[in-house]
Amino acid sequence: MLRGFAATGEMPRLTEHNVIVESVQAELAFAIDEQRERSVKGKLAVKTQLQCQRCLELMPVDLDCDVSLAIVRDEEGSRNLPGIYDPWIVDGEETDLYALIEEEVLLNLPFVVYHEDPCGESVGNPDAFAEEGETNKQNPFQVLKQLKDKTKI
């Protein structure tokens, strides 16, 4: 059983996807199960900052990732795995645990991120950008109406 915090600087693919990782706490157990499959099971607790899709500001997002992998040498070995495992293809005797953790975090990112409460007064309110006292609510189609009326003459 491995327990501890992963160094976030060792995960460059997260940065490429605009994910700011504050901390990654990992708990991983390596074993050989009843079917003689080498497996990795555990949990990741990840604290991130992601960009809200409404206001484009950063917001905290906590991820809880369940890990259930079988270690295989190639694609052929992944075809015969029980359904409870996802394959982790490892060629050679050594591998990079940071790559495993980084991949699991990427797979657990939400598709869309936004604040639960309204992001601010400017979101969805076109008058929020108007100066105080400047509430001129002229219809943008008024000019078209005037042109239409002129053509009827």
Side-chain angles (χ1 to χ4, degrees):
M1 171 80 68
L2 290 176
R3 285 189 188 134
F5 288 89
T8 58
E10 297 293 326
M11 299 179 232
R13 289 177 51 208
L14 292 173
T15 306
E16 291 172 12
H17 292 282
N18 296 325
V19 178
I20 299 172
V21 180
E22 295 174 350
S23 69
V24 178
Q25 185 175 1
E27 184 175 304
L28 300 173
F30 296 82
I32 297 177
D33 68 4
E34 302 83 33
Q35 298 166 345
R36 310 280 302 148
E37 299 289 346
R38 296 178 296 161
S39 65
V40 180
K41 290 186 179 185
K43 294 188 178 290
L44 302 174
V46 186
K47 293 188 181 297
T48 67
Q49 292 280 328
L50 300 176
Q51 189 177 44
C52 172
Q53 299 301 303
R54 289 183 187 150
C55 68
L56 304 179
E57 296 293 324
L58 290 177
M59 60 178 282
V61 176
D62 293 342
L63 304 173
D64 291 318
C65 312
D66 290 323
V67 178
S68 182
L69 303 171
I71 303 170
V72 295
R73 295 224 182 262
D74 53 25
E75 290 285 332
E76 184 65 34
S78 67
R79 292 190 186 115
N80 301 324
L81 287 177
I84 61 170
Y85 294 123
D86 289 325
W88 180 25
I89 299 173
V90 176
D91 52 344
E93 294 298 317
E94 295 181 10
T95 189
D96 185 6
L97 280 180
Y98 286 111
L100 164 72
I101 293 169
E102 183 178 42
E103 188 71 26
E104 288 297 315
V105 171
L106 284 170
L107 289 171
N108 283 278
L109 288 174
F111 289 113
V112 179
V113 179
Y114 54 88
H115 292 100
E116 292 293 324
D117 298 325
C119 295
E121 295 176 10
S122 62
V123 177
N125 183 3
D127 294 330
F129 294 107
E131 298 278 331
E132 273 190 46
E134 183 188 324
T135 56
N136 187 2
K137 293 186 179 182
Q138 184 179 8
N139 186 347
F141 297 105
Q142 186 67 30
V143 175
L144 293 175
K145 183 179 179 194
Q146 290 172 355
L147 288 173
K148 182 179 171 187
D149 290 342
K150 284 184 182 178
T151 59
K152 287 185 180 179
I153 299 177

